[in-house]
Amino acid sequence: PAFFLVNKQGLLLYMSLLKLTQIVEPALEDIGYLLVRLNFSMQDENSNRQKRSKLQILAEPVDLSEMTVKDCEKISRHIATVLDVEDPIKVPCYLEVSSPGIDRPLTRIADFDRFKGESVKVRMRFIRDGRKRFRAKIAKVDENENIIFETGFGRITLGLGEIESVCIDPSKYFSTKSRV
């Protein structure tokens, strides 16, 4: 599933994320969008500050066209209505909808096929060969749905379950050299 845990309440939050994904993903598809990632951060019950929980949805049009502010507004209105009816969140919550952005996270096997050849930043769930993070290019997805990356230190093959996060590396689009 395309979601990430954001706080320490482990299993409860995981179950909430599964339920939210089961509600949000088909609701987005109904209006022509794909769920890229869903984040849910619950308010800290030990905090003295009044802080609301936040549901963040990253989405993109099914036809992979450019995501606009109007798209975000449309999604926000639709998802807010669906969440009001389904009522999966029992605490006050902000809804935030946005495009995946230039450093788009890759969360599904289809994303890796789509962005084959792109430079990415990878964070693995566990250390392997002394590394947990690396930069690479996506070489391909094999017949077993393992992702093969080309790195400066050789080829590395990872299953989706071994990956904590992968996002497009936007650094090739920006120069750090000062301009005169």
Side-chain angles (χ1 to χ4, degrees):
F3 56 75
F4 291 89
L5 299 178
V6 181
N7 79 355
K8 300 173 188 166
Q9 294 178 331
L11 186 59
L12 174 63
L13 186 54
Y14 179 75
M15 297 306 288
S16 297
L17 287 169
L18 283 175
K19 184 173 182 172
L20 283 169
T21 301
Q22 290 169 349
I23 293 168
V24 169
E25 197 162 31
L28 283 171
E29 290 171 1
D30 287 347
I31 59 170
Y33 296 91
L34 297 171
L35 178 64
V36 173
R37 186 172 69 193
L38 182 143
N39 283 329
F40 181 64
S41 57
M42 294 177 68
Q43 68 187 41
D44 185 0
E45 294 168 1
N46 298 324
S47 174
N48 293 333
R49 293 185 282 172
Q50 291 282 358
K51 182 182 172 193
R52 285 185 156 197
S53 298
K54 180 170 72 171
L55 176 60
Q56 179 192 50
I57 296 170
L58 299 183
E60 64 188 358
V62 170
D63 66 4
L64 306 178
S65 61
E66 185 177 330
M67 184 84 160
T68 67
V69 173
K70 288 188 186 259
D71 291 316
C72 292
E73 291 170 352
K74 178 181 178 181
I75 291 169
S76 184
R77 283 191 301 274
H78 183 69
I79 295 299
T81 302
V82 169
L83 292 176
D84 283 345
V85 171
E86 296 286 334
D87 199 25
I89 303 170
K90 305 300 182 195
V91 295
C93 182
Y94 291 108
L95 175 60
E96 179 183 299
V97 176
S98 64
S99 74
I102 192 166
D103 59 346
R104 183 198 196 284
L106 307 181
T107 58
R108 295 184 172 87
I109 290 296
D111 294 340
F112 293 94
D113 275 331
R114 175 178 164 202
F115 291 101
K116 181 180 161 190
E118 284 290 330
S119 296
V120 293
K121 295 189 276 186
V122 179
R123 184 179 327 174
M124 297 181 290
R125 291 192 190 280
F126 305 101
I127 294 174
R128 183 197 277 185
D129 299 326
R131 297 178 191 275
K132 188 168 179 175
R133 298 177 186 185
F134 60 90
R135 291 177 190 254
K137 285 194 185 248
I138 301 169
K140 68 177 186 172
V141 176
D142 71 14
E143 63 280 351
N144 298 317
E145 296 191 338
N146 293 307
I147 302 106
I148 300 168
F149 299 96
E150 292 289 345
T151 73
F153 55 88
R155 243 179 198 211
I156 186 167
T157 301
L158 297 172
L160 199 55
E162 297 175 273
I163 297 171
E164 185 173 316
S165 67
V166 175
C167 63
I168 300 293
D169 183 358
S171 63
K172 74 177 185 180
Y173 301 107
F174 301 99
S175 173
T176 56
K177 297 177 185 175
S178 60
R179 298 182 181 161
V180 181

